[in-house]
Amino acid sequence: MKIPNFADIRAAKARISSFVHTTPLLTNNTINSISGAEIHFKCENFQKVGAFKFRGACNSVFALDDNSAAKGVATHSSGNHAQALALAAKMRGIPATIVMPNNSPQVKKDAVAGYGADIVFCKPTLEARESTLEQVIAEKGHTFIHPYDNFNVICGQGTAALEIFELSSEFEAIIAPVGGGGLLSGTAITAKSQKPGIKVYAAEPEGADDAYRSFKAGKIIPSKNPDTICDGLLTSLGELNFEIISQYVDDIFTANDEEIKAAMRLIWERMKIIVEPSSAVPLAVVLTNKELFAGKKIAIILSGGNVDLGKLEF
């Protein structure tokens, strides 16, 4: 199992820099006062498709050789990765097929279709998603781009942290949310390469704490019946992701849904930006562990801003 290194992440940045947004790093005096820390928010909610996922999908698509690319790409996803891969494929001018559960939100179906990808619907189970994807790949010869357990996806996600360190190397800690582990893996490799003494932390909802339990147990413990408002953090850790997290991450913290909602509302009200619940978990962790972060300069990655405005949590 080949683990990416910092050179791979720098190569990813060179490959995708003309396609992705360099997102801003923002601070807020009120949130700093409430938390007792100096927090800098990396705003991937301003990324294309509204989430960091575009970085990994874009790197994976543009890393393909011409022959493989011409055959197209495929994945199964009902979320941000589906939109990200569809857009990246459109930008390279190659086919994309996305296997989506038939109960996916209409707004996400519309977005994937709008980027020109073919959609194949399946029953809303992991078994149905995987078996349908296998059929698609057998029929069309597409390359499977996994949402997080993928070398090039991890390298692409790591470019968000690389942009942070290009602005400042003074951070004492960096925090990213964790679901499948793509963003956290890339972030951890970048951060430890740029500043070996930095603390790399993950933030996870209590109702979907498989990464926390896996990290503590030293082996992957799959997620079973996760229950949280953070719909972007429901997946179990990937194998490559777990290897990287075990090696580079210092600790994983959890927050409950009420704490996450409060943090999300604070970001909306004080920073005047839209973030989804998954993005608010790192701030929730800081606010519930103030003694650990007091007086420190921290970077937090806001992973995305794709919120169903008809189903707001407040």
Side-chain angles (χ1 to χ4, degrees), residues 188-210:
I189 293 167
T190 300
K192 291 293 189 179
S193 299
Q194 291 293 276
K195 188 175 183 180
I198 195 171
K199 295 294 185 182
V200 177
Y201 297 124
E204 190 174 40
E206 280 185 5
D209 66 344
D210 65 287

Side-chain angles (χ1 to χ4, degrees), residues 101-122:
N102 52 25
N103 64 347
S104 299
Q106 189 62 44
V107 64
K108 293 184 178 179
K109 297 176 186 176
D110 293 343
V112 172
Y115 291 133
D118 293 328
I119 302 175
V120 177
F121 293 108
C122 66

